[in-house]
Short mmCIF file of all heavy atoms in Angstrom, two decimals:
data_model
loop_
_atom_site.label_atom_id
_atom_site.label_comp_id
_atom_site.label_asym_id
_atom_site.label_seq_id
_atom_site.Cartn_x
_atom_site.Cartn_y
_atom_site.Cartn_z
N ASP B 205 89.74 146.22 113.79
CA ASP B 205 89.29 145.00 113.12
C ASP B 205 89.26 145.24 111.62
O ASP B 205 88.93 146.35 111.17
CB ASP B 205 87.89 144.62 113.63
CG ASP B 205 87.89 144.35 115.13
OD1 ASP B 205 88.45 143.31 115.53
OD2 ASP B 205 87.37 145.18 115.89
N PRO B 206 89.58 144.23 110.83
CA PRO B 206 89.63 144.41 109.36
C PRO B 206 88.32 144.98 108.82
O PRO B 206 87.24 144.51 109.14
CB PRO B 206 89.87 142.99 108.86
CG PRO B 206 90.53 142.28 110.00
CD PRO B 206 89.94 142.86 111.23
N GLY B 207 88.45 146.01 108.00
CA GLY B 207 87.28 146.62 107.37
C GLY B 207 86.49 147.56 108.26
O GLY B 207 85.54 148.20 107.79
N LEU B 208 86.87 147.65 109.52
CA LEU B 208 86.13 148.52 110.45
C LEU B 208 86.96 149.70 110.94
O LEU B 208 86.44 150.57 111.65
CB LEU B 208 85.63 147.72 111.66
CG LEU B 208 84.63 146.61 111.36
CD1 LEU B 208 84.26 145.87 112.65
CD2 LEU B 208 83.37 147.17 110.70
N GLY B 209 88.22 149.74 110.62
CA GLY B 209 89.07 150.82 111.10
C GLY B 209 89.28 150.71 112.60
O GLY B 209 89.23 149.62 113.18
N LEU B 210 89.53 151.84 113.25
CA LEU B 210 89.74 151.87 114.69
C LEU B 210 88.47 152.34 115.38
O LEU B 210 87.84 153.31 114.93
CB LEU B 210 90.86 152.84 115.05
CG LEU B 210 92.28 152.29 115.05
CD1 LEU B 210 92.75 152.02 113.63
CD2 LEU B 210 93.22 153.25 115.74
N ARG B 211 88.12 151.68 116.44
CA ARG B 211 86.94 152.09 117.22
C ARG B 211 87.37 152.33 118.66
O ARG B 211 88.07 151.51 119.26
CB ARG B 211 85.86 151.02 117.14
CG ARG B 211 85.27 150.85 115.74
CD ARG B 211 84.24 149.74 115.70
NE ARG B 211 84.84 148.43 115.88
CZ ARG B 211 84.14 147.32 116.12
NH1 ARG B 211 82.83 147.38 116.23
NH2 ARG B 211 84.77 146.17 116.25
N LEU B 212 86.91 153.45 119.22
CA LEU B 212 87.32 153.87 120.54
C LEU B 212 86.56 153.11 121.62
O LEU B 212 85.33 153.09 121.62
CB LEU B 212 87.10 155.38 120.68
CG LEU B 212 87.51 156.01 122.00
CD1 LEU B 212 89.02 155.91 122.19
CD2 LEU B 212 87.07 157.48 122.04
N ILE B 213 87.32 152.52 122.55
CA ILE B 213 86.70 151.74 123.63
C ILE B 213 86.49 152.64 124.86
O ILE B 213 85.39 152.80 125.36
CB ILE B 213 87.58 150.53 124.00
CG1 ILE B 213 87.85 149.66 122.78
CG2 ILE B 213 86.90 149.70 125.10
CD1 ILE B 213 88.88 148.56 123.03
N TYR B 214 87.59 153.18 125.36
CA TYR B 214 87.58 154.08 126.51
C TYR B 214 88.69 155.09 126.33
O TYR B 214 89.67 154.85 125.64
CB TYR B 214 87.86 153.31 127.81
CG TYR B 214 86.65 152.81 128.56
CD1 TYR B 214 86.21 151.50 128.40
CD2 TYR B 214 85.98 153.63 129.47
CE1 TYR B 214 85.11 151.02 129.11
CE2 TYR B 214 84.88 153.17 130.18
CZ TYR B 214 84.45 151.86 129.98
OH TYR B 214 83.37 151.38 130.69
N PHE B 215 88.53 156.22 127.01
CA PHE B 215 89.65 157.15 127.10
C PHE B 215 89.68 157.78 128.48
O PHE B 215 88.71 157.69 129.26
CB PHE B 215 89.61 158.20 125.99
CG PHE B 215 88.46 159.16 126.07
CD1 PHE B 215 88.63 160.40 126.65
CD2 PHE B 215 87.23 158.84 125.51
CE1 PHE B 215 87.57 161.30 126.71
CE2 PHE B 215 86.17 159.74 125.56
CZ PHE B 215 86.34 160.96 126.16
N SER B 216 90.80 158.44 128.75
CA SER B 216 90.98 159.07 130.06
C SER B 216 91.71 160.39 129.86
O SER B 216 92.69 160.44 129.12
CB SER B 216 91.80 158.15 130.97
OG SER B 216 92.25 158.85 132.11
N TYR B 217 91.24 161.45 130.50
CA TYR B 217 91.92 162.74 130.36
C TYR B 217 92.59 163.17 131.66
O TYR B 217 93.06 164.30 131.78
CB TYR B 217 90.99 163.82 129.82
CG TYR B 217 89.72 164.02 130.60
CD1 TYR B 217 89.69 164.83 131.72
CD2 TYR B 217 88.55 163.40 130.20
CE1 TYR B 217 88.52 165.01 132.43
CE2 TYR B 217 87.37 163.56 130.90
CZ TYR B 217 87.36 164.38 132.02
OH TYR B 217 86.21 164.55 132.72
N ASP B 218 92.62 162.28 132.64
CA ASP B 218 93.29 162.60 133.89
C ASP B 218 93.39 161.32 134.71
O ASP B 218 92.63 160.36 134.48
CB ASP B 218 92.52 163.67 134.65
CG ASP B 218 93.39 164.44 135.64
OD1 ASP B 218 94.55 164.04 135.85
OD2 ASP B 218 92.90 165.44 136.20
N VAL B 219 94.26 161.35 135.68
CA VAL B 219 94.38 160.21 136.58
C VAL B 219 93.03 159.96 137.25
O VAL B 219 92.33 160.90 137.65
CB VAL B 219 95.47 160.48 137.64
CG1 VAL B 219 95.53 159.36 138.66
CG2 VAL B 219 96.82 160.65 136.98
N LYS B 220 92.68 158.70 137.32
CA LYS B 220 91.43 158.23 137.94
C LYS B 220 90.18 158.68 137.19
O LYS B 220 89.07 158.45 137.65
CB LYS B 220 91.34 158.63 139.41
CG LYS B 220 92.43 157.99 140.28
CD LYS B 220 92.15 158.14 141.75
CE LYS B 220 93.32 157.64 142.59
NZ LYS B 220 93.53 156.18 142.45
N MET B 221 90.34 159.34 136.05
CA MET B 221 89.18 159.72 135.24
C MET B 221 89.08 158.79 134.05
O MET B 221 90.10 158.39 133.48
CB MET B 221 89.33 161.16 134.74
CG MET B 221 89.54 162.17 135.84
SD MET B 221 88.16 162.29 136.98
CE MET B 221 86.98 163.15 135.96
N LYS B 222 87.84 158.46 133.66
CA LYS B 222 87.65 157.63 132.49
C LYS B 222 86.32 158.00 131.84
O LYS B 222 85.39 158.43 132.51
CB LYS B 222 87.65 156.15 132.86
CG LYS B 222 86.56 155.75 133.83
CD LYS B 222 86.69 154.30 134.23
CE LYS B 222 85.61 153.91 135.22
NZ LYS B 222 85.77 152.52 135.73
N GLU B 223 86.30 157.84 130.53
CA GLU B 223 85.09 158.12 129.77
C GLU B 223 84.86 156.99 128.78
O GLU B 223 85.82 156.49 128.19
CB GLU B 223 85.25 159.44 128.98
CG GLU B 223 85.39 160.67 129.84
CD GLU B 223 84.10 161.09 130.50
OE1 GLU B 223 83.03 160.63 130.04
OE2 GLU B 223 84.16 161.87 131.46
N LYS B 224 83.62 156.63 128.57
CA LYS B 224 83.29 155.60 127.59
C LYS B 224 83.47 156.16 126.19
O LYS B 224 83.13 157.30 125.91
CB LYS B 224 81.85 155.13 127.79
CG LYS B 224 81.64 154.36 129.08
CD LYS B 224 80.20 153.91 129.22
CE LYS B 224 80.01 153.13 130.51
NZ LYS B 224 78.59 152.70 130.68
N GLY B 225 83.98 155.27 125.33
CA GLY B 225 84.05 155.61 123.92
C GLY B 225 82.83 155.07 123.20
O GLY B 225 81.73 155.06 123.74
N ASP B 226 83.06 154.58 122.00
CA ASP B 226 81.94 154.12 121.17
C ASP B 226 81.54 152.67 121.43
O ASP B 226 80.41 152.29 121.19
CB ASP B 226 82.31 154.29 119.70
CG ASP B 226 82.57 155.75 119.35
OD1 ASP B 226 81.80 156.62 119.81
OD2 ASP B 226 83.55 156.04 118.64
N ILE B 227 82.48 151.86 121.94
CA ILE B 227 82.18 150.43 122.14
C ILE B 227 82.73 149.95 123.49
O ILE B 227 83.58 149.09 123.57
CB ILE B 227 82.76 149.57 121.00
CG1 ILE B 227 84.25 149.87 120.76
CG2 ILE B 227 81.96 149.78 119.71
CD1 ILE B 227 84.93 148.80 119.95
N PRO B 228 82.22 150.47 124.62
CA PRO B 228 82.79 150.10 125.92
C PRO B 228 82.30 148.77 126.48
O PRO B 228 82.88 148.26 127.45
CB PRO B 228 82.29 151.25 126.80
CG PRO B 228 80.98 151.64 126.19
CD PRO B 228 81.16 151.47 124.70
N GLU B 229 81.28 148.19 125.89
CA GLU B 229 80.66 146.99 126.48
C GLU B 229 81.67 145.85 126.55
O GLU B 229 82.31 145.51 125.56
CB GLU B 229 79.44 146.56 125.67
CG GLU B 229 78.30 147.57 125.65
CD GLU B 229 78.54 148.73 124.70
OE1 GLU B 229 79.37 148.59 123.78
OE2 GLU B 229 77.92 149.79 124.89
N GLY B 230 81.76 145.24 127.73
CA GLY B 230 82.65 144.10 127.93
C GLY B 230 84.05 144.50 128.36
O GLY B 230 84.90 143.62 128.57
#
Side-chain angles (χ1 to χ4, degrees):
Chain B
D205 299 289
L208 296 178
L210 273 71
R211 294 178 291 168
L212 182 65
I213 304 171
Y214 267 97
F215 67 97
S216 166
Y217 55 84
D218 203 352
V219 175
K220 296 193 187 294
M221 304 297 287
K222 61 184 179 185
E223 295 286 343
K224 292 180 179 179
D226 299 317
I227 51 164
E229 296 78 21

